[in-house]
Amino acid sequence: MFIQTETTPNTDSLKFIPGSPVSTSGTHEFLDAGASAASPLADRLFHLPGVKTVFFGPDFISVNKHPDAPWADLKPEIYSIIMEHFTAGTPLFRDGSSSDGPADTRILDTDSEVVAMIKELLDTRVRPAIQEDGGDIEYRGFNEDSGVVQLSLKGSCRGCDSSTVTLKSGIERMLMHYVPGTYYSATERKIAYNELRAYVSFPAEVKEVEQVLGPEEVVAVDEFAKFEARLRGEGKTVEI
């Protein structure tokens, strides 16, 4: 078995390609050792000193390390663990958990035409390109009043210095170009209401893409804030 390695825009992340399918049920990300308990492969990788996060893509594994951990020490160990896992034919998850693919971009009957188009573009145009760099995106919502699309970045894209460029110059520009919409000022909306004596449904448009924290990150930030407050209550300080 030959495992290829590809660099990513994130210098603290590498993409490992085992040459066989990895996750056939969407992507999966593990932000800490506690979250990796369901996956034998992720669990073993987190036992390596310096491993920060683990991400499973369709045919690759992205490993993010702490800045002070050298790849020269980590890479051989990661190679060995991935090799043993796929050679033994061990399931990716202990409980055999799977899904029908990315749930975030699954088009629902309740989605508006604009939301459905945003999801389709993210799934067919954006996601493949992001996965080439060892990461993924997660659709978090669209505010039709403000025109803001909320996304989370995962895998190698998490914490990457170029993530802002990816969002603004890449995803935002593409969505603003392809999603049709006409801007109506508050005055124009008021005139339409006065003339028709009814609220008018105006086509929404994408004006901005905003990066937000995923649910796991929100929990982690909240727990750290509680921990920090507890230490300060004891007269101690926290250094990051």
Side-chain angles (χ1 to χ4, degrees):
M1 183 178 188
F2 178 68
I3 301 174
Q4 296 182 9
T5 305
E6 290 184 2
T7 58
T8 73
N10 185 349
T11 56
D12 287 325
S13 181
L14 282 179
K15 181 178 175 183
F16 296 85
I17 307 171
S20 58
V22 177
S23 175
T24 58
S25 58
T27 60
H28 302 272
E29 186 175 38
F30 307 90
L31 300 182
D32 54 48
S36 70
S39 170
L41 177 56
D43 185 46
R44 288 193 63 191
L45 289 171
F46 268 107
H47 276 79
L48 298 176
V51 169
K52 185 177 182 181
T53 65
V54 175
F55 179 83
F56 296 153
D59 57 358
F60 66 88
I61 300 153
S62 289
V63 177
N64 288 22
K65 69 175 183 65
H66 291 285
D68 57 347
W71 280 121
D73 295 337
L74 274 176
K75 280 177 64 176
E77 298 292 340
I78 295 173
Y79 274 129
S80 177
I81 290 174
I82 294 176
M83 178 79 73
E84 290 177 10
H85 176 86
F86 284 95
T87 301
T90 307
L92 195 62
F93 293 97
R94 289 192 173 91
D95 59 0
S97 63
S98 63
S99 65
D100 297 326
D104 62 309
T105 51
R106 191 176 301 147
I107 298 176
L108 308 176
D109 294 336
T110 54
D111 287 338
S112 67
E113 182 179 348
V114 171
V115 169
M117 185 172 294
I118 290 171
K119 287 184 175 181
E120 182 178 357
L121 286 169
L122 291 175
D123 199 41
T124 60
R125 297 285 189 92
V126 178
R127 177 162 277 133
I130 296 292
Q131 289 181 352
E132 281 294 316
D133 285 335
D136 200 3
I137 48 99
E138 183 176 1
Y139 171 77
R140 304 293 300 161
F142 173 61
N143 188 316
E144 297 198 0
D145 292 326
S146 63
V148 176
V149 178
Q150 293 186 325
L151 302 175
S152 294
L153 293 177
K154 306 165 67 176
S156 297
C157 298
R158 183 184 299 280
C160 180
D161 293 337
S162 61
S163 61
T164 302
V165 177
T166 300
L167 282 173
K168 294 297 181 181
S169 298
I171 302 174
E172 182 177 275
R173 184 176 298 177
M174 186 197 68
L175 291 179
M176 291 176 66
H177 175 76
Y178 284 105
V179 177
T182 305
Y183 175 74
Y184 292 88
S185 66
T187 302
E188 290 172 315
R189 291 173 185 266
K190 185 176 181 180
I191 291 173
Y193 172 74
N194 290 334
E195 290 180 350
L196 300 176
R197 294 299 174 185
Y199 287 105
V200 181
S201 177
F202 293 95
E205 64 176 341
V206 174
K207 298 177 183 177
E208 184 182 356
V209 171
E210 175 183 67
Q211 183 177 357
V212 296
L213 296 178
E216 302 90 348
E217 293 171 291
V218 172
V219 171
V221 170
D222 183 57
E223 289 300 317
F224 181 80
K226 292 178 181 177
F227 173 70
E228 186 179 25
R230 189 162 58 249
L231 288 181
R232 285 177 175 169
E234 298 173 359
K236 301 176 182 179
T237 58
V238 180
E239 294 184 1
I240 301 177

